[in-house]
PDB file of all heavy atoms in Angstrom:
ATOM      1  N   ALA P   8      -8.697   4.946 -13.671  1.00 92.00           N
ATOM      2  CA  ALA P   8      -8.577   3.874 -12.668  1.00 92.00           C
ATOM      3  C   ALA P   8      -7.168   3.322 -12.725  1.00 92.00           C
ATOM      4  O   ALA P   8      -6.887   2.365 -13.456  1.00 92.00           O
ATOM      5  CB  ALA P   8      -9.612   2.787 -12.927  1.00 92.00           C
ATOM      6  N   PRO P   9      -6.213   3.893 -11.971  1.00 93.00           N
ATOM      7  CA  PRO P   9      -4.837   3.388 -11.964  1.00 93.00           C
ATOM      8  C   PRO P   9      -4.787   1.933 -11.494  1.00 93.00           C
ATOM      9  O   PRO P   9      -5.433   1.594 -10.478  1.00 93.00           O
ATOM     10  CB  PRO P   9      -4.105   4.317 -11.011  1.00 93.00           C
ATOM     11  CG  PRO P   9      -4.929   5.568 -10.990  1.00 93.00           C
ATOM     12  CD  PRO P   9      -6.344   5.102 -11.130  1.00 93.00           C
ATOM     13  N   PRO P  10      -4.057   1.087 -12.184  1.00 93.00           N
ATOM     14  CA  PRO P  10      -4.000  -0.331 -11.773  1.00 93.00           C
ATOM     15  C   PRO P  10      -3.136  -0.599 -10.554  1.00 93.00           C
ATOM     16  O   PRO P  10      -3.160  -1.702 -10.013  1.00 93.00           O
ATOM     17  CB  PRO P  10      -3.413  -1.015 -13.021  1.00 93.00           C
ATOM     18  CG  PRO P  10      -2.632   0.060 -13.705  1.00 93.00           C
ATOM     19  CD  PRO P  10      -3.341   1.336 -13.435  1.00 93.00           C
ATOM     20  N   HIS P  11      -2.354   0.392 -10.131  1.00 94.00           N
ATOM     21  CA  HIS P  11      -1.459   0.188  -9.001  1.00 94.00           C
ATOM     22  C   HIS P  11      -1.667   1.251  -7.930  1.00 94.00           C
ATOM     23  O   HIS P  11      -2.059   2.373  -8.230  1.00 94.00           O
ATOM     24  CB  HIS P  11       0.006   0.232  -9.448  1.00 94.00           C
ATOM     25  CG  HIS P  11       0.369  -0.762 -10.491  1.00 94.00           C
ATOM     26  ND1 HIS P  11       0.683  -2.065 -10.195  1.00 94.00           N
ATOM     27  CD2 HIS P  11       0.453  -0.638 -11.850  1.00 94.00           C
ATOM     28  CE1 HIS P  11       0.965  -2.717 -11.318  1.00 94.00           C
ATOM     29  NE2 HIS P  11       0.821  -1.878 -12.327  1.00 94.00           N
ATOM     30  N   GLY P  12      -1.388   0.875  -6.683  1.00 94.00           N
ATOM     31  CA  GLY P  12      -1.305   1.842  -5.605  1.00 94.00           C
ATOM     32  C   GLY P  12       0.164   2.205  -5.398  1.00 94.00           C
ATOM     33  O   GLY P  12       1.001   1.992  -6.294  1.00 94.00           O
ATOM     34  N   LEU P  13       0.500   2.688  -4.222  1.00 94.00           N
ATOM     35  CA  LEU P  13       1.897   3.047  -3.950  1.00 94.00           C
ATOM     36  C   LEU P  13       2.842   1.859  -3.979  1.00 94.00           C
ATOM     37  O   LEU P  13       4.054   2.029  -4.148  1.00 94.00           O
ATOM     38  CB  LEU P  13       1.995   3.765  -2.610  1.00 94.00           C
ATOM     39  CG  LEU P  13       1.419   5.186  -2.545  1.00 94.00           C
ATOM     40  CD1 LEU P  13       1.544   5.754  -1.137  1.00 94.00           C
ATOM     41  CD2 LEU P  13       2.111   6.089  -3.558  1.00 94.00           C
ATOM     42  N   GLU P  14       2.265   0.654  -3.823  1.00 94.00           N
ATOM     43  CA  GLU P  14       3.125  -0.528  -3.894  1.00 94.00           C
ATOM     44  C   GLU P  14       3.756  -0.664  -5.297  1.00 94.00           C
ATOM     45  O   GLU P  14       4.742  -1.355  -5.483  1.00 94.00           O
ATOM     46  CB  GLU P  14       2.346  -1.787  -3.548  1.00 94.00           C
ATOM     47  CG  GLU P  14       1.418  -2.324  -4.633  1.00 94.00           C
ATOM     48  CD  GLU P  14       0.125  -1.538  -4.792  1.00 94.00           C
ATOM     49  OE1 GLU P  14      -0.150  -0.694  -3.898  1.00 94.00           O
ATOM     50  OE2 GLU P  14      -0.601  -1.778  -5.772  1.00 94.00           O
ATOM     51  N   GLY P  15       3.168   0.017  -6.301  1.00 94.00           N
ATOM     52  CA  GLY P  15       3.717  -0.020  -7.657  1.00 94.00           C
ATOM     53  C   GLY P  15       5.077   0.636  -7.768  1.00 94.00           C
ATOM     54  O   GLY P  15       5.822   0.406  -8.712  1.00 94.00           O
ATOM     55  N   LEU P  16       5.423   1.449  -6.755  1.00 95.00           N
ATOM     56  CA  LEU P  16       6.753   2.090  -6.750  1.00 95.00           C
ATOM     57  C   LEU P  16       7.838   1.106  -6.319  1.00 95.00           C
ATOM     58  O   LEU P  16       9.015   1.327  -6.597  1.00 95.00           O
ATOM     59  CB  LEU P  16       6.770   3.293  -5.808  1.00 95.00           C
ATOM     60  CG  LEU P  16       6.282   4.643  -6.358  1.00 95.00           C
ATOM     61  CD1 LEU P  16       4.820   4.574  -6.795  1.00 95.00           C
ATOM     62  CD2 LEU P  16       6.490   5.759  -5.350  1.00 95.00           C
ATOM     63  N   ASP P  17       7.430   0.047  -5.629  1.00 92.00           N
ATOM     64  CA  ASP P  17       8.403  -0.944  -5.159  1.00 92.00           C
ATOM     65  C   ASP P  17       9.087  -1.614  -6.348  1.00 92.00           C
ATOM     66  O   ASP P  17       8.435  -2.125  -7.257  1.00 92.00           O
ATOM     67  CB  ASP P  17       7.724  -1.991  -4.292  1.00 92.00           C
ATOM     68  CG  ASP P  17       7.154  -1.414  -3.012  1.00 92.00           C
ATOM     69  OD1 ASP P  17       7.632  -0.351  -2.599  1.00 92.00           O
ATOM     70  OD2 ASP P  17       6.219  -2.022  -2.437  1.00 92.00           O
ATOM     71  N   GLY P  18      10.396  -1.601  -6.349  1.00 93.00           N
ATOM     72  CA  GLY P  18      11.150  -2.238  -7.417  1.00 93.00           C
ATOM     73  C   GLY P  18      11.293  -1.394  -8.673  1.00 93.00           C
ATOM     74  O   GLY P  18      11.941  -1.831  -9.635  1.00 93.00           O
ATOM     75  N   ALA P  19      10.721  -0.182  -8.694  1.00 96.00           N
ATOM     76  CA  ALA P  19      10.784   0.647  -9.894  1.00 96.00           C
ATOM     77  C   ALA P  19      12.205   1.150 -10.115  1.00 96.00           C
ATOM     78  O   ALA P  19      12.916   1.500  -9.165  1.00 96.00           O
ATOM     79  CB  ALA P  19       9.821   1.828  -9.776  1.00 96.00           C
ATOM     80  N   ASP P  20      12.614   1.201 -11.379  1.00 96.00           N
ATOM     81  CA  ASP P  20      13.913   1.759 -11.739  1.00 96.00           C
ATOM     82  C   ASP P  20      13.845   3.283 -11.811  1.00 96.00           C
ATOM     83  O   ASP P  20      14.816   3.974 -11.507  1.00 96.00           O
ATOM     84  CB  ASP P  20      14.369   1.211 -13.090  1.00 96.00           C
ATOM     85  CG  ASP P  20      14.568  -0.293 -13.050  1.00 96.00           C
ATOM     86  OD1 ASP P  20      15.643  -0.747 -12.621  1.00 96.00           O
ATOM     87  OD2 ASP P  20      13.638  -1.019 -13.425  1.00 96.00           O
ATOM     88  N   ILE P  21      12.700   3.787 -12.258  1.00 97.00           N
ATOM     89  CA  ILE P  21      12.489   5.226 -12.357  1.00 97.00           C
ATOM     90  C   ILE P  21      11.104   5.528 -11.778  1.00 97.00           C
ATOM     91  O   ILE P  21      10.105   4.887 -12.140  1.00 97.00           O
ATOM     92  CB  ILE P  21      12.550   5.709 -13.818  1.00 97.00           C
ATOM     93  CG1 ILE P  21      13.904   5.370 -14.443  1.00 97.00           C
ATOM     94  CG2 ILE P  21      12.292   7.212 -13.917  1.00 97.00           C
ATOM     95  CD1 ILE P  21      14.010   5.698 -15.929  1.00 97.00           C
ATOM     96  N   VAL P  22      11.054   6.528 -10.880  1.00 98.00           N
ATOM     97  CA  VAL P  22       9.792   6.978 -10.296  1.00 98.00           C
ATOM     98  C   VAL P  22       9.577   8.422 -10.735  1.00 98.00           C
ATOM     99  O   VAL P  22      10.422   9.282 -10.529  1.00 98.00           O
ATOM    100  CB  VAL P  22       9.817   6.902  -8.763  1.00 98.00           C
ATOM    101  CG1 VAL P  22       8.544   7.499  -8.170  1.00 98.00           C
ATOM    102  CG2 VAL P  22       9.988   5.447  -8.308  1.00 98.00           C
ATOM    103  N   ILE P  23       8.436   8.672 -11.382  1.00 98.00           N
ATOM    104  CA  ILE P  23       8.158   9.989 -11.939  1.00 98.00           C
ATOM    105  C   ILE P  23       6.940  10.609 -11.267  1.00 98.00           C
ATOM    106  O   ILE P  23       5.867   9.988 -11.203  1.00 98.00           O
ATOM    107  CB  ILE P  23       7.915   9.914 -13.464  1.00 98.00           C
ATOM    108  CG1 ILE P  23       9.135   9.301 -14.161  1.00 98.00           C
ATOM    109  CG2 ILE P  23       7.604  11.289 -14.039  1.00 98.00           C
ATOM    110  CD1 ILE P  23       8.956   9.080 -15.645  1.00 98.00           C
ATOM    111  N   ILE P  24       7.118  11.841 -10.775  1.00 97.00           N
ATOM    112  CA  ILE P  24       6.004  12.636 -10.242  1.00 97.00           C
ATOM    113  C   ILE P  24       5.723  13.707 -11.300  1.00 97.00           C
ATOM    114  O   ILE P  24       6.456  14.694 -11.409  1.00 97.00           O
ATOM    115  CB  ILE P  24       6.365  13.322  -8.900  1.00 97.00           C
ATOM    116  CG1 ILE P  24       7.080  12.336  -7.969  1.00 97.00           C
ATOM    117  CG2 ILE P  24       5.108  13.863  -8.245  1.00 97.00           C
ATOM    118  CD1 ILE P  24       6.288  11.149  -7.549  1.00 97.00           C
ATOM    119  N   PRO P  25       4.671  13.546 -12.122  1.00 95.00           N
ATOM    120  CA  PRO P  25       4.493  14.434 -13.277  1.00 95.00           C
ATOM    121  C   PRO P  25       3.923  15.812 -12.940  1.00 95.00           C
ATOM    122  O   PRO P  25       3.942  16.692 -13.807  1.00 95.00           O
ATOM    123  CB  PRO P  25       3.534  13.640 -14.159  1.00 95.00           C
ATOM    124  CG  PRO P  25       2.751  12.808 -13.210  1.00 95.00           C
ATOM    125  CD  PRO P  25       3.675  12.475 -12.078  1.00 95.00           C
ATOM    126  N   SER P  26       3.428  16.004 -11.754  1.00 94.00           N
ATOM    127  CA  SER P  26       2.891  17.311 -11.333  1.00 94.00           C
ATOM    128  C   SER P  26       2.595  17.202  -9.836  1.00 94.00           C
ATOM    129  O   SER P  26       2.953  16.222  -9.196  1.00 94.00           O
ATOM    130  CB  SER P  26       1.624  17.633 -12.112  1.00 94.00           C
ATOM    131  OG  SER P  26       1.154  18.929 -11.764  1.00 94.00           O
ATOM    132  N   TRP P  27       1.957  18.211  -9.272  1.00 93.00           N
ATOM    133  CA  TRP P  27       1.565  18.161  -7.866  1.00 93.00           C
ATOM    134  C   TRP P  27       0.416  19.139  -7.640  1.00 93.00           C
ATOM    135  O   TRP P  27       0.121  19.982  -8.499  1.00 93.00           O
ATOM    136  CB  TRP P  27       2.728  18.423  -6.937  1.00 93.00           C
ATOM    137  CG  TRP P  27       2.526  17.962  -5.529  1.00 93.00           C
ATOM    138  CD1 TRP P  27       2.603  18.688  -4.395  1.00 93.00           C
ATOM    139  CD2 TRP P  27       2.181  16.630  -5.120  1.00 93.00           C
ATOM    140  NE1 TRP P  27       2.347  17.899  -3.295  1.00 93.00           N
ATOM    141  CE2 TRP P  27       2.074  16.626  -3.711  1.00 93.00           C
ATOM    142  CE3 TRP P  27       1.944  15.443  -5.811  1.00 93.00           C
ATOM    143  CZ2 TRP P  27       1.735  15.484  -2.993  1.00 93.00           C
ATOM    144  CZ3 TRP P  27       1.613  14.312  -5.093  1.00 93.00           C
ATOM    145  CH2 TRP P  27       1.519  14.345  -3.699  1.00 93.00           C
ATOM    146  N   HIS P  28      -0.241  19.020  -6.475  1.00 87.00           N
ATOM    147  CA  HIS P  28      -1.355  19.915  -6.167  1.00 87.00           C
ATOM    148  C   HIS P  28      -1.286  20.279  -4.686  1.00 87.00           C
ATOM    149  O   HIS P  28      -0.481  19.737  -3.933  1.00 87.00           O
ATOM    150  CB  HIS P  28      -2.671  19.236  -6.484  1.00 87.00           C
ATOM    151  CG  HIS P  28      -2.911  17.960  -5.705  1.00 87.00           C
ATOM    152  ND1 HIS P  28      -4.137  17.412  -5.485  1.00 87.00           N
ATOM    153  CD2 HIS P  28      -2.039  17.094  -5.092  1.00 87.00           C
ATOM    154  CE1 HIS P  28      -4.016  16.306  -4.774  1.00 87.00           C
ATOM    155  NE2 HIS P  28      -2.755  16.084  -4.538  1.00 87.00           N
ATOM    156  N   HIS P  29      -2.114  21.244  -4.292  1.00 80.00           N
ATOM    157  CA  HIS P  29      -2.132  21.693  -2.878  1.00 80.00           C
ATOM    158  C   HIS P  29      -0.698  21.928  -2.384  1.00 80.00           C
ATOM    159  O   HIS P  29      -0.234  21.302  -1.432  1.00 80.00           O
ATOM    160  CB  HIS P  29      -2.843  20.660  -1.987  1.00 80.00           C
ATOM    161  CG  HIS P  29      -4.215  20.291  -2.498  1.00 80.00           C
ATOM    162  ND1 HIS P  29      -5.142  21.235  -2.869  1.00 80.00           N
ATOM    163  CD2 HIS P  29      -4.804  19.086  -2.687  1.00 80.00           C
ATOM    164  CE1 HIS P  29      -6.267  20.627  -3.257  1.00 80.00           C
ATOM    165  NE2 HIS P  29      -6.074  19.313  -3.164  1.00 80.00           N
ATOM    166  N   LEU P  30      -0.002  22.828  -3.048  1.00 85.00           N
ATOM    167  CA  LEU P  30       1.433  22.970  -2.859  1.00 85.00           C
ATOM    168  C   LEU P  30       1.834  23.271  -1.423  1.00 85.00           C
ATOM    169  O   LEU P  30       2.902  22.889  -0.976  1.00 85.00           O
ATOM    170  CB  LEU P  30       1.965  24.051  -3.799  1.00 85.00           C
ATOM    171  CG  LEU P  30       1.703  23.806  -5.293  1.00 85.00           C
ATOM    172  CD1 LEU P  30       2.339  24.898  -6.123  1.00 85.00           C
ATOM    173  CD2 LEU P  30       2.225  22.439  -5.727  1.00 85.00           C
ATOM    174  N   GLY P  31       0.998  24.028  -0.724  1.00 78.00           N
ATOM    175  CA  GLY P  31       1.380  24.427   0.626  1.00 78.00           C
ATOM    176  C   GLY P  31       0.918  23.478   1.717  1.00 78.00           C
ATOM    177  O   GLY P  31       1.205  23.687   2.900  1.00 78.00           O
ATOM    178  N   GLU P  32       0.208  22.419   1.348  1.00 78.00           N
ATOM    179  CA  GLU P  32      -0.331  21.480   2.326  1.00 78.00           C
ATOM    180  C   GLU P  32       0.628  20.305   2.552  1.00 78.00           C
ATOM    181  O   GLU P  32       1.391  19.938   1.651  1.00 78.00           O
ATOM    182  CB  GLU P  32      -1.687  20.953   1.883  1.00 78.00           C
ATOM    183  CG  GLU P  32      -2.749  22.031   1.767  1.00 78.00           C
ATOM    184  CD  GLU P  32      -4.085  21.440   1.348  1.00 78.00           C
ATOM    185  OE1 GLU P  32      -4.199  20.196   1.287  1.00 78.00           O
ATOM    186  OE2 GLU P  32      -5.012  22.241   1.077  1.00 78.00           O
ATOM    187  N   PRO P  33       0.626  19.714   3.734  1.00 79.00           N
ATOM    188  CA  PRO P  33       1.483  18.561   3.996  1.00 79.00           C
ATOM    189  C   PRO P  33       1.173  17.416   3.037  1.00 79.00           C
ATOM    190  O   PRO P  33       0.004  17.145   2.722  1.00 79.00           O
ATOM    191  CB  PRO P  33       1.147  18.175   5.437  1.00 79.00           C
ATOM    192  CG  PRO P  33       0.567  19.415   6.035  1.00 79.00           C
ATOM    193  CD  PRO P  33      -0.168  20.110   4.928  1.00 79.00           C
ATOM    194  N   ALA P  34       2.210  16.771   2.540  1.00 81.00           N
ATOM    195  CA  ALA P  34       2.029  15.655   1.636  1.00 81.00           C
ATOM    196  C   ALA P  34       1.673  14.390   2.405  1.00 81.00           C
ATOM    197  O   ALA P  34       1.882  14.300   3.621  1.00 81.00           O
ATOM    198  CB  ALA P  34       3.296  15.436   0.807  1.00 81.00           C
ATOM    199  N   SER P  35       1.143  13.422   1.702  1.00 89.00           N
ATOM    200  CA  SER P  35       0.759  12.144   2.312  1.00 89.00           C
ATOM    201  C   SER P  35       1.983  11.440   2.877  1.00 89.00           C
ATOM    202  O   SER P  35       2.943  11.166   2.150  1.00 89.00           O
ATOM    203  CB  SER P  35       0.098  11.256   1.248  1.00 89.00           C
ATOM    204  OG  SER P  35       0.114   9.901   1.615  1.00 89.00           O
ATOM    205  N   PRO P  36       1.993  11.127   4.185  1.00 93.00           N
ATOM    206  CA  PRO P  36       3.136  10.407   4.777  1.00 93.00           C
ATOM    207  C   PRO P  36       3.473   9.098   4.072  1.00 93.00           C
ATOM    208  O   PRO P  36       4.652   8.805   3.851  1.00 93.00           O
ATOM    209  CB  PRO P  36       2.697  10.173   6.237  1.00 93.00           C
ATOM    210  CG  PRO P  36       1.763  11.320   6.511  1.00 93.00           C
ATOM    211  CD  PRO P  36       1.003  11.510   5.224  1.00 93.00           C
ATOM    212  N   PRO P  37       2.453   8.289   3.654  1.00 94.00           N
ATOM    213  CA  PRO P  37       2.809   7.049   2.939  1.00 94.00           C
ATOM    214  C   PRO P  37       3.553   7.327   1.629  1.00 94.00           C
ATOM    215  O   PRO P  37       4.464   6.590   1.269  1.00 94.00           O
ATOM    216  CB  PRO P  37       1.453   6.390   2.690  1.00 94.00           C
ATOM    217  CG  PRO P  37       0.573   6.910   3.776  1.00 94.00           C
ATOM    218  CD  PRO P  37       0.999   8.323   3.980  1.00 94.00           C
ATOM    219  N   LEU P  38       3.135   8.394   0.922  1.00 94.00           N
ATOM    220  CA  LEU P  38       3.820   8.724  -0.315  1.00 94.00           C
ATOM    221  C   LEU P  38       5.245   9.175  -0.030  1.00 94.00           C
ATOM    222  O   LEU P  38       6.190   8.769  -0.729  1.00 94.00           O
ATOM    223  CB  LEU P  38       3.074   9.824  -1.070  1.00 94.00           C
ATOM    224  CG  LEU P  38       3.799  10.404  -2.286  1.00 94.00           C
ATOM    225  CD1 LEU P  38       4.079   9.341  -3.312  1.00 94.00           C
ATOM    226  CD2 LEU P  38       3.018  11.557  -2.895  1.00 94.00           C
ATOM    227  N   MET P  39       5.425  10.022   0.977  1.00 95.00           N
ATOM    228  CA  MET P  39       6.776  10.489   1.304  1.00 95.00           C
ATOM    229  C   MET P  39       7.697   9.322   1.638  1.00 95.00           C
ATOM    230  O   MET P  39       8.840   9.264   1.230  1.00 95.00           O
ATOM    231  CB  MET P  39       6.719  11.480   2.476  1.00 95.00           C
ATOM    232  CG  MET P  39       5.927  12.757   2.194  1.00 95.00           C
ATOM    233  SD  MET P  39       6.599  13.769   0.862  1.00 95.00           S
ATOM    234  CE  MET P  39       5.617  13.233  -0.545  1.00 95.00           C
ATOM    235  N   GLU P  40       7.170   8.397   2.396  1.00 96.00           N
ATOM    236  CA  GLU P  40       7.962   7.231   2.779  1.00 96.00           C
ATOM    237  C   GLU P  40       8.275   6.365   1.554  1.00 96.00           C
ATOM    238  O   GLU P  40       9.385   5.839   1.411  1.00 96.00           O
ATOM    239  CB  GLU P  40       7.204   6.391   3.817  1.00 96.00           C
ATOM    240  CG  GLU P  40       7.949   5.137   4.279  1.00 96.00           C
ATOM    241  CD  GLU P  40       9.331   5.428   4.832  1.00 96.00           C
ATOM    242  OE1 GLU P  40       9.517   6.507   5.455  1.00 96.00           O
ATOM    243  OE2 GLU P  40      10.234   4.599   4.622  1.00 96.00           O
ATOM    244  N   ALA P  41       7.291   6.225   0.645  1.00 96.00           N
ATOM    245  CA  ALA P  41       7.520   5.436  -0.568  1.00 96.00           C
ATOM    246  C   ALA P  41       8.608   6.058  -1.444  1.00 96.00           C
ATOM    247  O   ALA P  41       9.436   5.368  -2.033  1.00 96.00           O
ATOM    248  CB  ALA P  41       6.217   5.296  -1.349  1.00 96.00           C
ATOM    249  N   LEU P  42       8.610   7.398  -1.525  1.00 96.00           N
ATOM    250  CA  LEU P  42       9.639   8.094  -2.320  1.00 96.00           C
ATOM    251  C   LEU P  42      11.024   7.919  -1.687  1.00 96.00           C
ATOM    252  O   LEU P  42      12.002   7.638  -2.392  1.00 96.00           O
ATOM    253  CB  LEU P  42       9.303   9.569  -2.455  1.00 96.00           C
ATOM    254  CG  LEU P  42       8.138   9.933  -3.368  1.00 96.00           C
ATOM    255  CD1 LEU P  42       7.874  11.446  -3.325  1.00 96.00           C
ATOM    256  CD2 LEU P  42       8.413   9.493  -4.806  1.00 96.00           C
ATOM    257  N   ARG P  43      11.077   8.065  -0.372  1.00 96.00           N
ATOM    258  CA  ARG P  43      12.369   7.913   0.318  1.00 96.00           C
ATOM    259  C   ARG P  43      12.888   6.479   0.170  1.00 96.00           C
ATOM    260  O   ARG P  43      14.079   6.252  -0.048  1.00 96.00           O
ATOM    261  CB  ARG P  43      12.230   8.257   1.801  1.00 96.00           C
ATOM    262  CG  ARG P  43      11.872   9.710   2.060  1.00 96.00           C
ATOM    263  CD  ARG P  43      11.894  10.015   3.558  1.00 96.00           C
ATOM    264  NE  ARG P  43      11.222  11.268   3.856  1.00 96.00           N
ATOM    265  CZ  ARG P  43      10.027  11.384   4.408  1.00 96.00           C
ATOM    266  NH1 ARG P  43       9.361  10.286   4.777  1.00 96.00           N
ATOM    267  NH2 ARG P  43       9.495  12.578   4.608  1.00 96.00           N
ATOM    268  N   ARG P  44      11.992   5.533   0.267  1.00 96.00           N
ATOM    269  CA  ARG P  44      12.390   4.126   0.150  1.00 96.00           C
ATOM    270  C   ARG P  44      12.905   3.836  -1.266  1.00 96.00           C
ATOM    271  O   ARG P  44      13.918   3.142  -1.442  1.00 96.00           O
ATOM    272  CB  ARG P  44      11.195   3.233   0.505  1.00 96.00           C
ATOM    273  CG  ARG P  44      11.554   1.751   0.637  1.00 96.00           C
ATOM    274  CD  ARG P  44      10.433   0.992   1.316  1.00 96.00           C
ATOM    275  NE  ARG P  44       9.164   1.094   0.591  1.00 96.00           N
ATOM    276  CZ  ARG P  44       8.091   1.727   1.055  1.00 96.00           C
ATOM    277  NH1 ARG P  44       8.129   2.313   2.251  1.00 96.00           N
ATOM    278  NH2 ARG P  44       6.981   1.789   0.343  1.00 96.00           N
ATOM    279  N   ALA P  45      12.215   4.357  -2.277  1.00 97.00           N
ATOM    280  CA  ALA P  45      12.635   4.151  -3.664  1.00 97.00           C
ATOM    281  C   ALA P  45      13.989   4.777  -3.911  1.00 97.00           C
ATOM    282  O   ALA P  45      14.874   4.187  -4.550  1.00 97.00           O
ATOM    283  CB  ALA P  45      11.588   4.728  -4.614  1.00 97.00           C
ATOM    284  N   HIS P  46      14.182   5.966  -3.388  1.00 96.00           N
ATOM    285  CA  HIS P  46      15.465   6.653  -3.565  1.00 96.00           C
ATOM    286  C   HIS P  46      16.593   5.906  -2.848  1.00 96.00           C
ATOM    287  O   HIS P  46      17.694   5.769  -3.396  1.00 96.00           O
ATOM    288  CB  HIS P  46      15.355   8.093  -3.050  1.00 96.00           C
ATOM    289  CG  HIS P  46      16.614   8.881  -3.131  1.00 96.00           C
ATOM    290  ND1 HIS P  46      17.423   9.128  -2.039  1.00 96.00           N
ATOM    291  CD2 HIS P  46      17.245   9.446  -4.202  1.00 96.00           C
ATOM    292  CE1 HIS P  46      18.469   9.824  -2.436  1.00 96.00           C
ATOM    293  NE2 HIS P  46      18.382  10.043  -3.732  1.00 96.00           N
ATOM    294  N   GLN P  47      16.318   5.430  -1.678  1.00 96.00           N
ATOM    295  CA  GLN P  47      17.349   4.746  -0.882  1.00 96.00           C
ATOM    296  C   GLN P  47      17.831   3.464  -1.572  1.00 96.00           C
ATOM    297  O   GLN P  47      19.010   3.120  -1.467  1.00 96.00           O
ATOM    298  CB  GLN P  47      16.797   4.419   0.512  1.00 96.00           C
ATOM    299  CG  GLN P  47      17.834   3.889   1.475  1.00 96.00           C
ATOM    300  CD  GLN P  47      17.296   3.741   2.893  1.00 96.00           C
ATOM    301  OE1 GLN P  47      16.076   3.669   3.104  1.00 96.00           O
ATOM    302  NE2 GLN P  47      18.183   3.724   3.858  1.00 96.00           N
ATOM    303  N   ARG P  48      16.952   2.791  -2.261  1.00 94.00           N
ATOM    304  CA  ARG P  48      17.377   1.549  -2.920  1.00 94.00           C
ATOM    305  C   ARG P  48      17.928   1.790  -4.318  1.00 94.00           C
ATOM    306  O   ARG P  48      18.258   0.840  -5.031  1.00 94.00           O
ATOM    307  CB  ARG P  48      16.223   0.548  -2.982  1.00 94.00           C
ATOM    308  CG  ARG P  48      15.031   0.992  -3.746  1.00 94.00           C
ATOM    309  CD  ARG P  48      13.995  -0.121  -3.939  1.00 94.00           C
ATOM    310  NE  ARG P  48      12.787   0.392  -4.532  1.00 94.00           N
ATOM    311  CZ  ARG P  48      12.684   0.764  -5.807  1.00 94.00           C
ATOM    312  NH1 ARG P  48      13.723   0.672  -6.586  1.00 94.00           N
ATOM    313  NH2 ARG P  48      11.533   1.225  -6.284  1.00 94.00           N
ATOM    314  N   GLY P  49      18.004   3.081  -4.738  1.00 95.00           N
ATOM    315  CA  GLY P  49      18.703   3.385  -5.984  1.00 95.00           C
ATOM    316  C   GLY P  49      17.854   3.753  -7.167  1.00 95.00           C
ATOM    317  O   GLY P  49      18.367   3.901  -8.276  1.00 95.00           O
TER     318      GLY P  49
END
C-alpha cells in the first residue's frame, strides 16, 4: 500500500523508476507528464 500517488513526485530531488512492465504498451499519460514535470524543474 504505497503512501503516495504521483503527487509524491512533486518536489522530489531524485525520481527513481526501479523497473517497468508491458514494455510495448503506451505508458500512463499522467505518469509521463509527472516525469517531464520533475525533469523540467531539475
Side-chain angles (χ1 to χ4, degrees):
H11 302 277
L13 289 178
E14 77 283 349
L16 275 62
D17 295 338
D20 298 277
I21 301 174
V22 175
I23 302 176
I24 316 296
S26 184
W27 199 236
H28 60 159
H29 307 311
L30 302 183
E32 297 181 7
S35 160
L38 171 60
M39 298 298 96
E40 180 56 34
L42 288 176
R43 295 186 195 106
R44 190 166 58 247
H46 178 257
Q47 188 173 20
R48 62 172 173 72

